[in-house]
Each structure stands twice: as C-alpha cells, then as structure tokens.
Amino acid sequence: AQGGLAAMEEAAAARAGLLYHTIDESNGYYRSPVDPAARSLMNVVFRLPDEESEARFVAEANQRRLLNLKGHRSVGGIRASLYNAMPMSGVEALASYMESFR
C-alpha cells in the first residue's frame, strides 16, 4: 500500500540525504565521522565543535520535541534514527533546527 520495498528505500534515501546534506553544507560546524561510502540510511551520526555544544544542541532539541538525539553513551555525539516510521516532516524539522542552531 505504501509502494513496496523500492518506495521505502527511496524514502529512506531522501530522509538521510537531507540530513547528510545539512551536515556536509555546514562548513565544518557539523561533521560526520563516517566515510560517505559507508553512511547509514537509518542512523545518521554527527558531531558538533565540542561536547558543550552537543549537550546544548540536545537540550534545545528536546524543548522543540526533537527527541532521542543523544549519541552513544561511550562515543558521544548526535544520532538521528530515521527508521521507516519517521516522516519526512520530522527530518525537515531537524534539518531546520540544525541550520538555526548553527
């Protein structure tokens, strides 16, 4: 009913592509520690200039109902999970927040 596997893959690529574009076009403010050839469509991880900025980013995101962005407890950073249930509008809201936060 949603277009099958091909449509789901296309939607996943669009969601991830928007966030990776936001990261890559931030002039280094956001940086992905993952080689572009190995980037995930489901979990987009990135760093900010320092841990203090990351903590503020997560706290202010929570206030905007952009939830569960804190990265892995031993590695830190930010992780946006973009599983199939995540609507593009949620990714657009995160990308917009990232641009305003920067």
Side-chain angles (χ1 to χ4, degrees):
Q2 295 181 29
L5 186 58
M8 298 304 280
E9 183 176 11
E10 185 178 320
R15 288 189 303 267
L18 175 57
L19 281 192
Y20 287 125
H21 177 78
T22 302
I23 293 164
D24 294 341
E25 296 298 314
S26 72
N27 294 319
Y29 186 81
Y30 299 109
R31 60 194 187 289
S32 173
V34 180
D35 183 285
R39 288 177 169 178
S40 171
L41 297 181
M42 293 294 128
N43 288 296
V44 175
V45 295
F46 58 96
R47 302 301 305 248
L48 277 74
D50 53 59
E51 290 183 10
E52 181 181 311
S53 296
E54 290 174 355
R56 198 173 90 242
F57 179 91
V58 170
E60 291 179 17
N62 285 338
Q63 293 172 356
R64 291 168 173 75
R65 298 191 41 81
L66 299 167
L67 308 173
N68 300 315
L69 292 170
K70 187 173 180 179
H72 191 276
R73 68 182 176 278
S74 65
V75 200
I78 309 297
R79 182 187 72 186
S81 293
L82 307 179
Y83 295 105
N84 291 332
M86 172 59 72
M88 180 57 115
S89 61
V91 182
E92 290 167 344
L94 176 57
S96 176
Y97 167 63
M98 290 170 69
E99 290 176 13
S100 67
F101 185 88
R102 178 172 57 100

